[in-house]
Amino acid sequence: MTRGWSLPGDLAPDVERHLDQIVDPCSTASVLSMSILAMGLIRDVTFSDDGVLTVHLRLTSPSCMMVGYIAREATARLRTLPGVTEVLVGPDEGLDWDPSMMDAAVAQERNKRLRLLDLSNVIA
């Protein structure tokens, strides 16, 4: 897997697929629905020998109000995977995310829509 996550090869595609299905609610309100993966909100995912899958979130802001929703969605989806005994989701402090962490194709589409709406000065 190219993301650098510490996952067994057979688990990595399923984890990525499940996380890519979780839409960041704030992106929906700002012209383009984006998954938490496309937004660059996943810092890392690790898997322990005893089946604990840990998702390390990168928040867009220290005051992110959606962290509970994202954590619940990730937990509900990922705990169904074979070999996963527990899912832990931990956010960072929300101090280092920036728009350059978004998937390039999604960011390009977002910027196109912002220009069409004349909202190109909107940051995130």
Side-chain angles (χ1 to χ4, degrees):
M1 175 171 244
T2 58
R3 296 189 185 277
W5 296 347
S6 304
L7 299 175
D10 58 336
L11 184 60
D14 289 334
V15 169
E16 184 170 353
R17 182 174 44 84
H18 282 298
L19 292 175
D20 200 36
Q21 294 171 353
I22 302 170
V23 174
D24 172 45
C26 295
S27 72
T28 301
S30 67
V31 306
L32 180 63
S33 294
M34 292 179 265
S35 75
I36 60 173
L37 211 52
M39 281 284 297
L41 299 183
I42 306 299
R43 177 184 304 278
D44 190 22
V45 180
T46 57
F47 188 67
S48 69
D49 291 338
D50 57 351
V52 178
L53 187 67
T54 304
V55 179
H56 306 272
L57 293 178
R58 178 184 282 124
L59 303 179
T60 57
S61 160
S63 60
C64 176
M65 306 266 306
M66 295 295 117
V67 68
Y69 163 78
I70 293 170
R72 279 190 307 277
E73 285 294 309
T75 300
R77 293 166 190 262
L78 297 173
R79 73 173 164 216
T80 65
L81 296 176
V84 174
T85 59
E86 184 178 5
V87 177
L88 303 175
V89 180
D92 69 359
E93 295 79 28
L95 301 174
D96 71 344
W97 181 89
D98 69 65
S100 71
M101 295 175 180
M102 289 191 291
D103 175 86
V106 174
Q108 184 177 18
E109 178 61 26
R110 179 182 175 272
N111 289 337
K112 177 179 146 186
R113 291 182 187 200
L114 289 172
R115 281 191 301 279
L116 288 171
L117 294 171
D118 194 25
L119 298 172
S120 55
N121 63 339
V122 173
I123 298 204

